[in-house]
Amino acid sequence: MIRAARSLSIGGVAVASLSLLVACSAPGVTSTDPVSGGTLVYASGDAEPSCLDPHVGGNFPQALLATQYIESLVSKNAGGEILPWLASDWTESTDGLSWEFTIRDDVAFTDGTPLDAAAVAANIAHLQDPATASSTGYLAVAKITSMDADGQTLTLTLSSPDSALLDSFSQPWVGIQSPTALKRTQEENCASPVGTGPFVVTEWKRQDSVTLKRNEDYTTPPQDAEHDGVAYLDAIDWRFIPDSATRYSALQSGQVDVIDNAQPDSIAAAEGESNLKVISAPRPGASNRIELNSGKAPFDDERVREAFIRAASVNDGISSLFFGTADRSYSVLSSVEATSIEAPEYFDIDADAAGDLLDQAGWAQRDAEGYRVRGGERLTLTFPVSTNQSIPAEQSLFEQIQAAVKPVGFEVVLEPLDLSSWYGALAANDYNLVSAPYTKVGPDVLRILYHSDSIVPAPSGYYANLAQLSDPALDALLAEASATQDAEQRASLYEQAQEIILSGYYVLPLYDQQNHFLHSTAVSGMRALPTVSAPTFYDAWVNRA
């Protein structure tokens, strides 16, 4: 591991007193040097995971938590460079069908199990096992067909070259867990997964909190960390507070130290508060967008898809609802992806053109309420909305889009649902429109989201291609991009793929997925890991007056 040695002085505040100071009023900073000890209180507005093992399912709330106790084979720095982590080295065969990883020999999981190649192979097998019910991790390692573990050397054989393999191994959903712990029942592992990270899960009170204690034997900080050795914090009290106003009030009053899923009005207010700080971290992979389900009527007709997009005014809503914290996107990829292309020409608002397209598609009549009808059927679109994932500002944006398309003749039925019901609606193909955040490191997210293979559900039951886009030409481009190691060729293929997706009106891009964290000035050293912008508290400390 290559990391600049740093000389750090530890503050003289007594550990015992720090641990008792959570929930005090108006913290103040007394030192710029790291302080060891204390409990940081984190309040999450994301949905509480149903399982703390990020292999199971694989959504962002799991990534937020798992980053504190599970580590990956590789990481990334702020410049996007892949860094060694639990794997110290790797080589790819010239045909791209075989990879050899060297696994660190000086690491143990927090249950004492040593890290070796067999442990990593057990994790990949766990991800690929249908009984695990993985989705994100399962798709990330889908091309691995066989593994050979010999001491600290792991050789992987692939069904076809995978230019995104290292990106995939940097993600928390493919994090490496103790193979001993993985042999327990899934219920046990969901409650207390075991990794090599700076903290350990010690208690999970459902619908309330997760307690994380410092790993006193920690040895594996990522190369871009600010210090060596164990974490400064004694513990993290990770609470679930769904209501955004309550979360922000708790931060203002000093009851909590950090909140996530901060709302635009709270971010704007916090920027004017002397005792609060804002961390904004765009997520990689896909942008925040609305998918149009082309797998069934009425969006199986491109004219109807284009009509909807020509009528769906978005810009004014983003300007008025997001307080300058979000910019309009015209891309299916996050702006942090170098291969992202913007195509605003496909999203010009033109109500007359939208009407003409609907006339051509046979939706020429209107009922008494002004909605388009064809053969006695109203032009109705169902739009299930996850209230756990769509912030209130975004839900208001959907209402504005609903109002914008009504004069053209679309009826949009918004259906607010909890996360479980929302997943159920998607699995049942009971939607015409959906906004589904999807984070994956690198542009290969296009293959996950828009290759026709992704219409087939993963073992979890979730399928990622919610636009149900099935186009052999697009499939071929995405498969070739995944297989090529030539950066310029790969970028060109992804550009062509994006052009097909955008010009076919399968997607209405909205804005970048952003993680917004607000924290007290009593917290120092917090940052978002460059991989998927989940927070890490390894370098963090609390310093209360």
Side-chain angles (χ1 to χ4, degrees):
M1 298 289 284
I2 304 169
R3 181 168 60 252
R6 290 173 173 80
S7 176
L8 299 173
S9 60
I10 305 300
V13 180
V15 171
S17 62
L18 274 174
S19 65
L20 298 174
L21 284 173
V22 173
C24 287
S25 61
V29 174
T30 59
S31 171
T32 57
D33 292 330
V35 175
S36 185
T39 296
L40 179 143
V41 184
Y42 183 101
S44 181
D46 265 296
E48 179 178 6
S50 58
C51 175
L52 302 185
D53 171 2
H55 288 189
V56 179
N59 57 29
F60 206 78
Q62 291 174 297
L64 290 170
L65 259 163
T67 299
Q68 317 313 319
Y69 48 83
I70 294 175
E71 298 179 315
S72 302
L73 284 187
V74 298
S75 64
K76 279 192 165 187
N77 62 19
E81 178 188 5
I82 293 283
L83 303 175
W85 202 352
L86 297 184
S88 59
D89 195 13
W90 52 84
T91 57
E92 180 184 12
S93 64
T94 54
D95 62 5
L97 294 174
S98 177
W99 287 71
E100 185 176 285
F101 287 86
T102 301
I103 309 302
R104 287 182 56 169
D105 61 3
D106 57 347
V107 182
F109 297 95
T110 52
D111 63 358
T113 304
L115 173 71
D116 57 18
V120 178
N123 276 262
I124 295 171
H126 185 242
L127 286 161
Q128 293 182 329
D129 184 351
T132 303
S134 176
S135 57
T136 310
Y138 172 83
L139 294 169
V141 298
K143 289 188 176 184
I144 298 173
T145 56
S146 66
M147 298 175 281
D148 180 58
D150 181 9
Q152 301 305 124
T153 302
L154 176 66
T155 303
L156 304 178
T157 301
L158 277 59
S159 58
S160 62
D162 186 356
S163 59
L165 188 65
L166 291 177
D167 285 340
S168 295
F169 277 134
S170 75
Q171 302 178 134
W173 305 287
V174 195
I176 307 303
Q177 303 177 51
S178 163
T180 303
L182 290 177
K183 291 177 182 175
R184 301 175 297 174
T185 66
Q186 187 173 88
E187 182 180 7
E188 288 178 289
N189 205 61
C190 281
S192 58
V194 176
T196 59
F199 296 95
V200 180
V201 177
T202 59
E203 186 178 22
W204 181 12
K205 297 178 183 176
R206 267 69 168 182
Q207 300 183 339
D208 183 69
S209 64
V210 174
T211 300
L212 305 167
K213 295 287 180 62
R214 180 168 59 201
N215 173 7
E216 301 295 349
D217 298 315
Y218 185 65
T219 60
T220 52
Q223 287 194 0
D224 56 345
E226 292 293 326
H227 80 291
D228 296 300
V230 300
Y232 298 122
L233 295 168
D234 283 337
I236 302 173
D237 178 5
W238 193 286
R239 300 179 186 174
F240 302 105
I241 303 180
D243 182 73
S244 57
T246 303
R247 216 162 48 248
Y248 185 60
S249 295
L251 177 67
Q252 286 181 301
S253 66
Q255 296 177 63
V256 306
D257 299 303
V258 182
I259 66 172
D260 65 24
N261 224 0
Q263 306 304 297
D265 57 340
S266 298
I267 298 168
E271 287 174 341
E273 299 279 351
S274 61
N275 64 335
L276 299 179
K277 289 188 175 179
V278 180
I279 296 176
S280 296
R283 295 191 205 172
S287 63
N288 232 328
R289 71 225 174 277
I290 296 174
E291 308 275 9
L292 282 61
N293 184 351
S294 66
K296 65 178 188 179
F299 284 149
D300 56 348
D301 187 328
E302 181 178 330
R303 295 169 296 186
V304 183
R305 296 197 301 271
E306 181 177 355
F308 177 83
I309 284 178
R310 294 296 183 197
S313 179
V314 173
N315 293 9
D316 290 345
I318 290 177
S319 298
S320 62
L321 295 167
F322 287 81
F323 295 85
T325 62
D327 295 325
R328 174 69 197 274
S329 170
Y330 297 99
S331 175
V332 290
L333 288 179
S334 163
S335 63
V336 302
E337 298 294 349
T339 53
S340 167
I341 65 167
E342 295 263 334
E345 63 271 24
Y346 295 122
F347 304 99
D348 290 338
I349 301 303
D350 189 334
D352 292 338
D356 290 343
L357 287 162
L358 290 178
D359 288 343
Q360 295 167 23
W363 296 94
Q365 307 299 315
R366 291 181 184 258
D367 63 18
E369 296 181 58
Y371 294 113
R372 298 266 179 167
V373 294
R374 186 179 65 181
E377 178 187 2
R378 178 180 281 186
L379 183 53
T380 299
L381 306 172
T382 59
F383 190 169
V385 177
S386 167
T387 54
N388 295 110
Q389 297 182 111
S390 288
I391 62 174
E394 185 170 82
Q395 293 178 47
S396 296
L397 178 63
F398 297 157
E399 291 171 356
Q400 291 200 9
I401 292 172
Q402 177 191 45
V405 302
K406 182 177 179 180
V408 176
F410 286 101
E411 181 189 37
V412 175
V413 179
L414 294 168
E415 299 175 333
L417 300 173
D418 62 34
L419 192 59
S420 176
S421 301
W422 182 79
Y423 277 128
L426 271 51
N429 193 23
D430 187 15
Y431 67 97
N432 301 110
L433 297 159
V434 67
S435 173
Y438 200 97
T439 301
K440 183 185 190 302
V441 177
D444 185 59
V445 71
L446 294 171
R447 180 179 61 85
I448 299 296
L449 293 177
Y450 300 112
H451 193 289
S452 60
D453 285 352
S454 295
I455 299 175
V456 179
S460 69
Y462 183 79
Y463 59 92
N465 185 347
L466 295 172
Q468 298 194 22
L469 205 170
S470 181
D471 181 336
L474 177 63
D475 286 353
L477 285 169
L478 295 172
E480 187 177 355
S482 177
T484 185
Q485 301 300 313
D486 184 293
E488 288 190 14
Q489 182 184 3
R490 193 173 178 230
S492 173
L493 292 165
Y494 282 133
E495 183 173 333
Q496 295 173 58
Q498 290 174 77
E499 178 67 23
I500 289 175
I501 297 164
L502 294 169
S503 66
Y505 303 100
Y506 297 99
V507 179
L508 177 61
L510 300 175
Y511 49 87
D512 274 350
Q513 295 184 80
Q514 285 268 1
N515 283 350
H516 295 290
F517 305 101
L518 306 184
H519 67 85
S520 159
T521 51
V523 177
S524 297
M526 174 190 170
R527 68 179 176 123
L529 271 185
T531 48
V532 299
S533 295
T536 174
F537 295 100
Y538 168 65
D539 285 322
W541 74 93
V542 289
N543 190 359
R544 308 175 198 280

